[in-house]
Short mmCIF file of all heavy atoms in Angstrom, two decimals:
data_model
loop_
_atom_site.label_atom_id
_atom_site.label_comp_id
_atom_site.label_asym_id
_atom_site.label_seq_id
_atom_site.Cartn_x
_atom_site.Cartn_y
_atom_site.Cartn_z
N VAL A 70 80.67 91.95 111.01
CA VAL A 70 79.27 91.99 110.65
C VAL A 70 78.49 91.81 111.94
O VAL A 70 78.77 90.91 112.73
CB VAL A 70 78.93 90.86 109.65
CG1 VAL A 70 77.45 90.85 109.35
CG2 VAL A 70 79.73 91.04 108.38
N SER A 71 77.52 92.69 112.15
CA SER A 71 76.78 92.69 113.40
C SER A 71 75.30 92.80 113.11
O SER A 71 74.89 93.35 112.08
CB SER A 71 77.25 93.87 114.27
OG SER A 71 76.43 94.01 115.39
N ASN A 72 74.49 92.31 114.03
CA ASN A 72 73.04 92.47 113.87
C ASN A 72 72.54 93.69 114.64
O ASN A 72 71.36 93.84 114.86
CB ASN A 72 72.31 91.20 114.32
CG ASN A 72 72.53 90.89 115.79
OD1 ASN A 72 73.32 91.55 116.46
ND2 ASN A 72 71.84 89.89 116.29
N LYS A 73 73.44 94.56 115.04
CA LYS A 73 73.08 95.79 115.74
C LYS A 73 72.99 96.93 114.75
O LYS A 73 73.46 96.84 113.62
CB LYS A 73 74.13 96.12 116.80
CG LYS A 73 74.26 95.05 117.86
CD LYS A 73 75.35 95.41 118.83
CE LYS A 73 75.53 94.29 119.83
NZ LYS A 73 76.66 94.53 120.71
N MET A 74 72.42 98.02 115.18
CA MET A 74 72.31 99.22 114.33
C MET A 74 73.61 100.00 114.39
O MET A 74 73.72 101.01 115.08
CB MET A 74 71.13 100.09 114.77
CG MET A 74 69.80 99.53 114.39
SD MET A 74 69.61 99.30 112.61
CE MET A 74 69.69 100.96 112.02
N GLU A 75 74.61 99.53 113.71
CA GLU A 75 75.88 100.23 113.62
C GLU A 75 76.38 100.15 112.18
O GLU A 75 76.06 99.23 111.45
CB GLU A 75 76.91 99.67 114.59
CG GLU A 75 77.23 98.20 114.39
CD GLU A 75 78.14 97.64 115.47
OE1 GLU A 75 78.01 98.02 116.63
OE2 GLU A 75 79.00 96.83 115.10
N VAL A 76 77.15 101.15 111.81
CA VAL A 76 77.64 101.23 110.45
C VAL A 76 78.97 100.49 110.36
O VAL A 76 79.93 100.84 111.06
CB VAL A 76 77.83 102.70 110.02
CG1 VAL A 76 78.41 102.78 108.62
CG2 VAL A 76 76.50 103.45 110.09
N PRO A 77 79.06 99.46 109.51
CA PRO A 77 80.35 98.78 109.35
C PRO A 77 81.31 99.67 108.59
O PRO A 77 80.91 100.48 107.75
CB PRO A 77 80.00 97.53 108.54
CG PRO A 77 78.76 97.89 107.79
CD PRO A 77 78.02 98.87 108.67
N SER A 78 82.59 99.55 108.92
CA SER A 78 83.58 100.34 108.19
C SER A 78 84.79 99.47 107.88
O SER A 78 85.03 98.45 108.53
CB SER A 78 84.00 101.58 108.98
OG SER A 78 84.66 101.21 110.16
N LEU A 79 85.52 99.89 106.88
CA LEU A 79 86.68 99.17 106.39
C LEU A 79 87.74 100.20 106.04
O LEU A 79 87.41 101.26 105.52
CB LEU A 79 86.31 98.36 105.15
CG LEU A 79 87.40 97.61 104.42
CD1 LEU A 79 87.81 96.37 105.20
CD2 LEU A 79 86.92 97.19 103.04
N LYS A 80 88.99 99.90 106.35
CA LYS A 80 90.08 100.80 105.98
C LYS A 80 90.91 100.13 104.89
O LYS A 80 91.35 99.00 105.04
CB LYS A 80 90.96 101.12 107.19
CG LYS A 80 92.02 102.17 106.88
CD LYS A 80 92.72 102.61 108.15
CE LYS A 80 94.07 101.94 108.20
NZ LYS A 80 94.88 102.35 109.32
N VAL A 81 91.08 100.85 103.78
CA VAL A 81 91.90 100.38 102.67
C VAL A 81 93.11 101.30 102.58
O VAL A 81 92.97 102.51 102.56
CB VAL A 81 91.12 100.40 101.34
CG1 VAL A 81 92.02 100.02 100.18
CG2 VAL A 81 89.93 99.48 101.41
N THR A 82 94.30 100.70 102.54
CA THR A 82 95.53 101.47 102.44
C THR A 82 96.10 101.31 101.03
O THR A 82 96.32 100.19 100.57
CB THR A 82 96.56 100.99 103.48
OG1 THR A 82 96.00 101.15 104.78
CG2 THR A 82 97.85 101.79 103.38
N LEU A 83 96.29 102.43 100.35
CA LEU A 83 96.96 102.45 99.05
C LEU A 83 98.39 102.84 99.29
O LEU A 83 98.67 103.91 99.82
CB LEU A 83 96.31 103.47 98.12
CG LEU A 83 95.04 103.05 97.39
CD1 LEU A 83 93.87 103.02 98.32
CD2 LEU A 83 94.78 103.99 96.25
N ALA A 84 99.33 101.96 98.92
CA ALA A 84 100.76 102.21 99.17
C ALA A 84 101.48 102.51 97.86
O ALA A 84 100.97 102.26 96.78
CB ALA A 84 101.37 100.99 99.85
N ALA A 85 102.72 103.01 97.99
CA ALA A 85 103.59 103.35 96.85
C ALA A 85 102.95 104.43 96.00
O ALA A 85 102.84 104.32 94.79
CB ALA A 85 103.91 102.12 96.02
N LEU A 86 102.53 105.49 96.64
CA LEU A 86 101.76 106.52 95.97
C LEU A 86 102.58 107.53 95.18
O LEU A 86 102.03 108.40 94.55
CB LEU A 86 100.89 107.25 96.97
CG LEU A 86 99.82 106.37 97.59
CD1 LEU A 86 99.07 107.13 98.66
CD2 LEU A 86 98.85 105.89 96.54
N ASN A 87 103.89 107.48 95.22
CA ASN A 87 104.68 108.44 94.47
C ASN A 87 104.97 107.97 93.05
O ASN A 87 105.64 108.64 92.30
CB ASN A 87 105.98 108.75 95.21
CG ASN A 87 105.71 109.48 96.50
OD1 ASN A 87 104.78 110.27 96.58
ND2 ASN A 87 106.49 109.21 97.51
N ASP A 88 104.44 106.80 92.69
CA ASP A 88 104.60 106.29 91.32
C ASP A 88 103.60 106.98 90.40
O ASP A 88 102.60 107.54 90.84
CB ASP A 88 104.35 104.78 91.29
CG ASP A 88 105.42 104.00 92.03
OD1 ASP A 88 106.53 104.53 92.22
OD2 ASP A 88 105.13 102.88 92.43
N SER A 89 103.85 106.90 89.13
CA SER A 89 102.92 107.46 88.15
C SER A 89 101.61 106.68 88.15
O SER A 89 101.57 105.50 88.47
CB SER A 89 103.53 107.43 86.76
OG SER A 89 104.60 108.34 86.68
N PHE A 90 100.56 107.38 87.77
CA PHE A 90 99.24 106.79 87.81
C PHE A 90 98.34 107.50 86.81
O PHE A 90 98.43 108.70 86.64
CB PHE A 90 98.68 106.93 89.22
CG PHE A 90 97.23 106.56 89.35
CD1 PHE A 90 96.86 105.24 89.35
CD2 PHE A 90 96.26 107.54 89.47
CE1 PHE A 90 95.52 104.89 89.47
CE2 PHE A 90 94.93 107.20 89.59
CZ PHE A 90 94.57 105.87 89.60
N ALA A 91 97.47 106.77 86.17
CA ALA A 91 96.42 107.32 85.29
C ALA A 91 96.97 108.31 84.27
O ALA A 91 96.69 109.50 84.33
CB ALA A 91 95.31 107.95 86.11
N GLY A 92 97.79 107.82 83.37
CA GLY A 92 98.28 108.66 82.30
C GLY A 92 99.37 109.62 82.72
O GLY A 92 99.48 110.72 82.18
N GLY A 93 100.19 109.24 83.68
CA GLY A 93 101.33 110.05 84.07
C GLY A 93 101.09 110.93 85.28
O GLY A 93 101.99 111.63 85.71
N GLY A 94 99.88 110.91 85.84
CA GLY A 94 99.61 111.74 87.01
C GLY A 94 100.08 111.07 88.29
O GLY A 94 100.21 109.86 88.36
N ASN A 95 100.31 111.86 89.30
CA ASN A 95 100.70 111.37 90.60
C ASN A 95 99.43 111.10 91.40
O ASN A 95 98.64 112.00 91.64
CB ASN A 95 101.58 112.41 91.30
CG ASN A 95 102.11 111.94 92.62
OD1 ASN A 95 101.37 111.43 93.45
ND2 ASN A 95 103.40 112.10 92.82
N ILE A 96 99.22 109.84 91.80
CA ILE A 96 97.97 109.47 92.47
C ILE A 96 97.82 110.20 93.80
O ILE A 96 96.72 110.57 94.19
CB ILE A 96 97.83 107.94 92.64
CG1 ILE A 96 96.44 107.60 93.16
CG2 ILE A 96 98.92 107.39 93.53
CD1 ILE A 96 96.12 106.15 93.20
N LYS A 97 98.91 110.42 94.50
CA LYS A 97 98.82 111.10 95.79
C LYS A 97 98.27 112.53 95.61
O LYS A 97 97.42 112.98 96.36
CB LYS A 97 100.18 111.13 96.46
CG LYS A 97 100.14 111.57 97.88
CD LYS A 97 101.49 111.33 98.52
CE LYS A 97 101.47 111.72 99.96
NZ LYS A 97 102.74 111.53 100.58
N LEU A 98 98.74 113.21 94.60
CA LEU A 98 98.25 114.55 94.31
C LEU A 98 96.78 114.50 93.89
O LEU A 98 95.98 115.34 94.31
CB LEU A 98 99.09 115.19 93.21
CG LEU A 98 98.69 116.60 92.76
CD1 LEU A 98 98.79 117.57 93.93
CD2 LEU A 98 99.56 117.06 91.61
N GLN A 99 96.42 113.51 93.08
CA GLN A 99 95.03 113.38 92.66
C GLN A 99 94.11 113.09 93.84
O GLN A 99 93.00 113.62 93.91
CB GLN A 99 94.90 112.29 91.60
CG GLN A 99 95.55 112.68 90.28
CD GLN A 99 95.36 111.62 89.22
OE1 GLN A 99 94.37 110.90 89.20
NE2 GLN A 99 96.32 111.51 88.32
N ILE A 100 94.56 112.24 94.77
CA ILE A 100 93.76 111.96 95.97
C ILE A 100 93.61 113.23 96.80
O ILE A 100 92.53 113.54 97.30
CB ILE A 100 94.38 110.81 96.78
CG1 ILE A 100 94.21 109.49 96.03
CG2 ILE A 100 93.75 110.72 98.17
CD1 ILE A 100 94.94 108.32 96.64
N HIS A 101 94.69 113.97 96.95
CA HIS A 101 94.64 115.23 97.69
C HIS A 101 93.64 116.20 97.06
O HIS A 101 92.95 116.94 97.76
CB HIS A 101 96.04 115.88 97.73
CG HIS A 101 96.06 117.18 98.44
ND1 HIS A 101 95.86 118.38 97.79
CD2 HIS A 101 96.23 117.49 99.76
CE1 HIS A 101 95.91 119.37 98.68
NE2 HIS A 101 96.14 118.84 99.88
N ASN A 102 93.54 116.18 95.74
CA ASN A 102 92.62 117.07 95.02
C ASN A 102 91.20 116.52 94.93
O ASN A 102 90.36 117.11 94.25
CB ASN A 102 93.16 117.36 93.62
CG ASN A 102 94.41 118.22 93.67
OD1 ASN A 102 94.63 118.95 94.62
ND2 ASN A 102 95.23 118.10 92.64
#
Side-chain angles (χ1 to χ4, degrees):
V70 176
S71 172
N72 62 354
K73 299 177 184 175
M74 285 301 296
E75 59 186 38
V76 177
S78 65
L79 175 75
K80 186 171 103 176
V81 175
T82 301
L83 278 74
L86 294 175
N87 293 326
D88 293 339
S89 291
F90 171 75
N95 184 311
I96 188 172
K97 191 170 182 181
L98 179 61
Q99 291 183 31
I100 290 172
H101 179 269
N102 291 335

